[in-house]
Amino acid sequence: MDPTTDNAGQTGDPGTARDALEALRAEIAKAVVGQDPAVTGLVVALLCRGHVLLEGVPGVAKTLLVRALASALELDTKRVQFTPDLMPSDVTGSLVYDTRSAEFSFQPGPVFTNLLLADEINRTPPKTQSSLLEAMEERQVTVDGTPRPLPDPFLVAATQNPVEYEGTYPLPEAQLDRFLLKLTIPLPSRQDEIDVLTRHAEGFNPRDLHAAGVRPVAGPADLDAARAAVAKTTISPEITAYVVDICRATRESPSLTLGVSPRGATALMATARAWAWLTGRDYVIPDDVKALALPTLRHRVQLRPEAEMEGVTADSVINAILAHVPVPR
């Protein structure tokens, strides 16, 4: 009997939980080729109770990645295709009149799940985009004045296409700031693409993860144990000051009109602690902060138009800041 499959998370031991979460990479790799950084980012978000914005061109397995993660963690998942005619109630749920009881009853929407895939979130108007704000921040949905708690864990993985902006509604800064991480999903390397085609030629069906061999290797109890261990991961005053200095430097950058807020600094501290624990330490080092700086901060800054015209990117600005802010010893 495989203990990671049948007894995942039942001990609540942090070491066992770390091993189980590490096994996610190998399990998801049975369905998704070459996306280890994105898998790690999703796990970090789960540990920090955060949400993820996935950006990549169509066809790079963003949907498959979230489905495979849900299968490997034995979590419920739902997908919503965001379109211009989508209404807030289509996401959160609504009151439905029951003719038998002559009363209104609440019909939960797809947001009542563990992993919600909000596909092409920027294709729906701001009114519907904002319907997710309460769910993401408060982990509840209020309908007709009654708050209804969402399951735990709860993660929104929203996708958007980085190259097709016609007919889209860019996410406002206030909502972008609600996402813990922004992960870019690149096109696969030549060898990875060969591996993808080889799998399909051998009969791989992305709609049947069970047939692909994806099995639960961790569960909610593992996440609970891991979160408790991450909360005990120490961060020294020097590292805390380093996080603050990086975020303050974005506010002073001549290439940016908007720098990272204190919420962003808190997010960077949280993701660095989660990454430190995943790599086997109970304390944070500067390299942990550097490793998570780009995905945690890139969507929290806004470029000046003239800098954007010169080819400057948010990533290049953050990398320059990381190169110049003194590293604590």
Side-chain angles (χ1 to χ4, degrees):
M1 180 180 293
D2 182 355
T4 61
T5 300
D6 295 284
N7 299 314
Q10 293 183 7
T11 64
D13 176 65
T16 303
R18 184 189 288 115
D19 292 341
L21 293 177
E22 279 294 319
L24 281 175
R25 294 185 186 182
E27 203 64 24
I28 293 174
K30 295 177 181 178
V32 182
V33 177
Q35 297 293 0
D36 278 357
V39 174
T40 301
L42 287 165
V43 172
V44 166
L46 282 168
L47 293 180
C48 298
R49 291 183 168 87
H51 308 284
V52 175
L53 184 62
L54 299 170
E55 187 173 87
V57 298
V60 290
K62 299 185 293 293
T63 301
L64 181 60
L65 176 63
V66 174
R67 289 180 52 239
L69 177 69
S71 294
L73 281 172
E74 211 168 9
L75 297 177
D76 182 49
T77 183
K78 289 185 174 69
R79 175 179 178 270
V80 179
Q81 183 67 47
F82 279 65
T83 56
D85 61 347
L86 193 74
M87 298 297 292
S89 58
D90 295 329
V91 179
T92 61
S94 59
L95 294 176
V96 177
Y97 185 72
D98 188 340
T99 55
R100 289 175 296 181
S101 63
E103 294 180 349
F104 283 95
S105 61
F106 178 66
Q107 183 68 35
V111 74
F112 286 86
T113 187
N114 297 125
L115 269 67
L116 175 67
L117 178 62
D119 211 2
E120 294 190 291
I121 190 173
N122 56 339
R123 290 204 173 275
T124 198
K127 180 180 180 180
T128 305
Q129 290 177 5
S130 64
S131 67
L132 279 176
L133 284 177
E134 182 187 13
M136 293 170 66
E137 192 69 17
E138 305 295 335
R139 299 183 180 275
Q140 67 178 25
V141 167
T142 302
V143 177
D144 196 35
T146 303
R148 293 173 169 85
L150 295 171
D152 185 42
F154 172 69
L155 179 144
V156 174
T159 73
Q160 63 179 16
N161 185 339
V163 294
E164 189 179 347
Y165 291 108
E166 186 175 350
T168 64
Y169 304 84
L171 294 174
E173 282 70 27
Q175 184 155 356
L176 280 172
D177 208 34
R178 295 302 199 281
F179 287 97
L180 181 73
L181 300 172
K182 179 182 178 181
L183 304 175
T184 55
I185 310 297
L187 288 166
S189 67
R190 180 176 183 273
Q191 185 56 54
D192 285 343
E193 196 163 1
I194 289 173
D195 291 344
V196 170
L197 267 63
T198 300
R199 289 186 181 191
H200 279 266
E202 293 172 349
F204 171 71
N205 182 0
R207 296 173 183 80
D208 189 353
L209 295 178
H210 185 79
V214 179
R215 301 289 185 271
V217 294
D222 288 305
L223 287 174
D224 289 341
R227 287 168 172 175
V230 169
K232 297 176 183 176
T233 301
T234 59
I235 181 166
S236 69
E238 292 79 13
I239 301 295
T240 301
Y242 181 52
V243 170
V244 170
D245 289 342
I246 291 171
C247 295
R248 291 182 68 86
T250 65
R251 302 168 204 164
E252 300 165 1
S253 171
S255 298
L256 301 176
T257 58
L258 178 69
V260 176
S261 69
R263 178 190 285 154
T266 302
L268 182 54
M269 182 179 71
T271 56
R273 292 174 79 186
W275 175 247
W277 180 80
L278 279 173
T279 53
R281 279 178 281 101
D282 60 358
Y283 58 91
V284 179
I285 62 175
D287 283 349
D288 299 325
V289 178
K290 291 181 179 180
L292 272 298
L294 284 179
T296 308
L297 304 181
R298 58 165 59 110
H299 57 297
R300 304 175 192 271
V301 300
Q302 191 174 70
L303 289 167
R304 292 187 181 277
E306 56 269 27
E308 200 166 2
M309 290 178 63
E310 293 171 1
V312 176
T313 64
D315 284 13
S316 64
V317 173
I318 295 170
N319 279 326
I321 288 171
L322 292 174
H324 286 92
V325 173
V327 179
R329 299 186 180 279

